[in-house]
């Protein structure tokens, strides 16, 4: 068996999801190739080659791949697909954008959001917002999967895989990059942070989210929010954690004023340690929390910051 992994990157830095995909692929078994498609992405290829378990790195370096437009990337992956039994991509914006196109063009089913590998043809994925777990067996000769990277540990470094250059150019001409508006923050990115503190509707307004800043600074944490807080206009939606937001699995997750709706739990329940602060002792969040503190967050947060 041969496995192709699509590398998650921004042309300068390899994202942590790629090493986690390598770990997932190692549980399937077989040679593991990593595809780096971008522009001026030599540093990304070198980083991918250093992941233990990678057999080789394929680099498609061209201007048509710079912004990883789904039409162009899917055509490239389809051309490469015949040599592989499995193709994996992270369940991120990029992976969710181009992988369904590959599945349609290859006329095979896509298995989305896998969280475990049972065998080379059997995989586990959540359904119904995480309320149920499905074990899916595929009889397709080519198995296409998006992987929930938060469910897997990262593969170790120390490899030295050979790097091969691809010459295929696919510019469908159907879409073009206009611009990207990126949020600039000194805090770690939500999906990569080892500590996250999130606020919910209990914060009452956006100004009160400032109560989380001091704690986040002392813990080196990212700040997130529940959908209720985002929908109420307290904070922008790029802070949303949950089924319709960002899926996270930090070492420590602190939920402040979050009741624990199933959509939010689906996005953070894989966190290693969960701490809940809520004045309602019947809040569902306490059912999955490792540590729970019942009380008024406006009293507790200043005390927590002072203690830290």
């Amino acid at each position: 068996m041969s496995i192709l992994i699509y590398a998650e990157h921004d042309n300068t830095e390899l994202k942590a999801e790629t090493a986690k995909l390598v770990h997932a692929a190692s549980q399937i078994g077989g040679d593991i190739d990593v595809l780096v498609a971008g522009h001026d992405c030599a540093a990304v290829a070198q980083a991918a080659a250093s992941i233990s378990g990678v057999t080789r790195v394929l680099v498609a370096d061209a201007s048509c791949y710079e912004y990883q437009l789904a039409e162009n990337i899917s055509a490239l992956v389809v051309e490469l697909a015949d040599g592989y039994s499995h193709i994996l991509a992270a369940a991120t914006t990029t992976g969710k954008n181009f992988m369904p196109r590959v599945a349609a063009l290859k006329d095979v089913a896509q298995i989305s959001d896998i969280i475990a590998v049972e065998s080379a043809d059997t995989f586990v994925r959540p359904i119904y917002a995480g309320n149920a777990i499905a074990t899916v067996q595929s009889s397709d000769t080519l198995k296409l999967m998006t992987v929930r990277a938060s469910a897997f540990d990262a593969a170790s470094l120390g490899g030295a895989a050979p790097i091969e250059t691809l010459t295929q150019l696919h510019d469908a001409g159907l879409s073009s990059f206009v611009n990207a508006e990126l949020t600039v923050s000194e805090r770690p990115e939500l999906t990569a942070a080892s500590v996250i503190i999130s606020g919910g509707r209990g914060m009452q307004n956006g100004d009160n989210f400032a109560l989380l800043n001091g704690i986040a600074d002392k813990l080196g944490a990212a700040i997130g929010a529940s959908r209720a807080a985002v929908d109420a206009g307290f904070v922008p939606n790029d802070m949303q954690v949950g089924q319709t937001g960002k899926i996270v699995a930090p070492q420590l997750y602190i939920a402040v004023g979050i009741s624990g709706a199933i959509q939010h739990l689906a996005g953070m329940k894989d966190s290693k340690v969960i701490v809940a602060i809520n004045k309602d002792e019947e809040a569902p969040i306490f059912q999955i929390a490792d540590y729970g503190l019942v009380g008024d967050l406006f009293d507790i947060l200043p005390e927590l910051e002072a203690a830290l």
Side-chain angles (χ1 to χ4, degrees):
M1 291 186 296
S2 295
I3 303 168
L4 180 66
I5 291 174
Y6 183 81
E8 193 80 15
H9 66 93
D10 60 2
N11 291 310
T12 58
E13 182 182 2
L14 184 70
K15 301 299 184 183
E17 287 88 348
T18 304
K20 295 181 178 182
L21 262 63
V22 173
H23 184 204
S26 68
Q27 297 179 13
I28 297 172
D31 294 335
I32 301 172
D33 292 352
V34 175
L35 171 62
V36 176
H39 188 47
D40 292 334
C41 53
V44 176
Q46 290 291 343
S50 70
I51 302 174
S52 295
V54 174
T55 305
R56 62 176 177 163
V57 176
L58 307 177
V59 183
D61 193 328
S63 57
C64 58
Y65 302 131
E66 180 174 5
Y67 301 110
Q68 301 180 60
L69 300 176
E71 294 85 354
N72 300 348
I73 296 298
S74 58
L76 173 63
V77 174
V78 166
E79 182 176 347
L80 299 174
D82 288 343
Y84 296 96
S85 58
H86 299 73
I87 298 178
L88 279 63
T92 59
T93 302
T94 301
K96 291 177 180 178
N97 199 11
F98 82 84
M99 282 291 275
R101 299 170 186 268
V102 177
L105 291 168
K106 296 299 293 182
D107 194 26
V108 297
Q110 176 179 313
I111 305 173
S112 302
D113 273 322
I114 72 164
I115 58 172
V117 174
E118 291 202 351
S119 68
D121 65 354
T122 306
F123 312 95
V124 178
R125 61 180 298 263
I127 57 175
Y128 304 127
N131 278 314
I133 301 297
T135 300
V136 181
Q137 187 174 43
S138 171
S139 59
D140 289 329
T141 54
L142 174 64
K143 296 169 180 57
L144 295 176
M145 293 170 283
T146 58
V147 178
R148 185 171 290 187
S150 61
F152 295 90
D153 295 329
S156 61
L157 301 179
I163 298 175
E164 298 181 13
T165 300
L166 301 178
T167 58
Q168 292 94 329
L169 297 177
H170 292 279
D171 189 351
L174 298 174
S175 60
S176 61
F177 176 80
V178 178
N179 72 301
E181 296 182 8
L182 303 177
T183 301
V184 179
S185 174
E186 295 180 355
R187 302 194 190 284
E189 184 182 350
L190 262 177
T191 53
S194 59
V195 180
I196 296 174
I197 181 168
S198 290
R201 193 192 300 273
M203 300 299 293
Q204 298 185 1
N205 59 57
D207 293 338
N208 288 334
F209 266 76
L211 292 170
L212 305 180
N213 290 339
I215 297 171
D217 289 340
K218 292 183 177 184
L219 294 176
I223 296 180
S226 68
R227 179 172 180 172
V230 171
D231 287 349
F234 297 170
V235 292
N237 60 12
D238 62 351
M239 293 173 62
Q240 183 177 324
V241 173
Q243 181 195 8
T244 53
K246 295 177 179 176
I247 308 295
V248 300
Q251 295 295 318
L252 172 62
Y253 188 89
I254 305 174
V256 181
I258 295 175
S259 62
I262 188 63
Q263 291 85 354
H264 186 77
L265 301 186
M268 46 66 69
K269 65 182 180 181
D270 289 329
S271 304
K272 304 302 184 290
V273 176
I274 299 172
V275 176
I277 300 173
N278 201 298
K279 65 181 180 182
D280 178 11
E281 62 184 33
E282 301 297 327
I285 190 73
F286 288 122
Q287 296 176 12
I288 67 161
D290 297 287
Y291 300 92
L293 186 54
V294 178
D296 190 327
L297 65 89
F298 296 104
D299 295 329
I300 292 171
L301 290 179
E303 291 180 18
L304 177 58
E305 182 178 352
L308 290 169

